[in-house]
Amino acid sequence: MRVVIADDTVLIREGISRVLSQAGFEVVAEVGDADELLAAVRELRPDVAVVDIRMPPGGADDGLVAARQIRAELPDVGILVLSQYVDEHYAMRLLEDGAEGVGYLLKDRVGEVDRFTDAVTRVAEGGSALDPEVVSHMVGSRSDEPLAALTPREREVLERMAEGMSNRAIAGQLDVSERAVEYHVTSIFGKLDLPATGNEHRRVLAVLAYLRG
């Protein structure tokens, strides 16, 4: 898979590049600002762009703005945004146009090589990848009756659903059968009054729509 990396800190760019290259990805460009990111993606058409939120030229959320522009112009390019802090508002802005081929992770995840490379792969293939801390924060900020009705196991499954994980992946992580996960998912959809669907992207959007209230 071909990757463009955008971060204004050279050491972080090189670190991400090294991690991905060692995992078998082809890093086709490393850039330091949002304008260079747009130019590189337009020219090279990578499978995925790994983008820092805060970068030049404005030093604010220029990376996020560029990421949304890439999604609008080149929807086949996956976008994995990296953030220094937990900020669910950035995540929701990124997902406003859909959950397919989109990811939002904390920068600390780069050091968790398997989790990070899995997220890059998932996004490149059109899936979703949301940082568990962001999802946990969103779940924890809701205290209404439907969430209170979820069992502890259902809350674990809900958080992983919102991260973009499939039933099979959830089953593997929680060390339960896929049938058990399907049962929990059905129960969650019923308690939260969400549309039941096997489409991973739609169910991520449904869960997030509920969590953001």
Side-chain angles (χ1 to χ4, degrees):
M1 290 182 180
R2 301 169 71 248
V3 185
V4 167
I5 300 170
D7 194 294
D8 63 331
T9 303
V10 175
L11 288 178
I12 293 178
R13 282 204 309 271
E14 292 182 350
I16 294 172
S17 178
R18 186 175 297 110
V19 167
L20 293 179
S21 296
Q22 291 177 349
F25 294 85
E26 180 186 359
V27 177
V28 295
E30 299 176 35
V31 299
D33 66 48
D35 293 338
E36 292 178 346
L37 166 63
L38 289 171
V41 170
R42 286 166 178 157
E43 177 185 354
L44 300 171
R45 305 294 176 94
D47 297 297
V48 60
V50 179
V51 183
D52 184 23
I53 286 181
R54 294 186 175 276
M55 64 172 59
D61 61 350
D62 297 58
L64 181 62
V65 172
R68 295 188 67 185
Q69 188 168 340
I70 291 169
R71 294 202 70 201
E73 292 183 18
L74 302 167
D76 291 337
V77 177
I79 299 291
L80 179 61
V81 168
L82 301 180
S83 177
Q84 191 72 39
Y85 310 102
V86 174
D87 192 324
E88 65 187 74
H89 302 295
Y90 282 145
M92 297 315 304
R93 282 177 59 193
L94 185 65
L95 291 161
E96 284 178 357
D97 302 318
E100 297 185 17
V102 176
Y104 178 98
L105 292 182
L106 294 179
K107 282 190 175 181
D108 290 346
R109 302 297 175 200
V110 175
E112 300 175 23
V113 175
D114 290 342
R115 183 191 289 273
F116 177 60
T117 55
D118 176 70
V120 175
T121 299
R122 195 188 311 169
V123 169
E125 293 176 345
S128 307
L130 296 183
D131 196 279
E133 282 194 36
V134 175
V135 175
S136 180
H137 177 77
M138 294 171 73
V139 173
S141 67
R142 295 293 300 271
S143 58
D144 51 5
E145 186 174 342
L147 267 185
L150 299 182
T151 66
R153 176 63 84 186
E154 287 171 348
R155 291 176 73 94
E156 289 180 322
V157 172
L158 172 67
E159 292 187 12
R160 285 158 178 80
M161 286 168 57
E163 290 171 31
M165 297 178 67
S166 66
N167 286 355
R168 178 175 297 180
I170 295 172
Q173 189 167 107
L174 298 182
D175 196 26
V176 298
S177 69
E178 192 169 346
R179 183 178 296 274
V181 174
E182 292 172 357
Y183 172 83
H184 290 311
V185 170
T186 299
S187 178
I188 289 166
F189 278 134
K191 291 178 180 179
L192 302 186
D193 194 26
L194 295 172
T197 170
N199 184 297
E200 299 301 331
H201 309 308
R202 287 184 179 178
R203 85 177 186 172
V204 168
L205 287 178
V207 171
L208 291 173
Y210 177 81
L211 292 178
R212 67 183 175 185

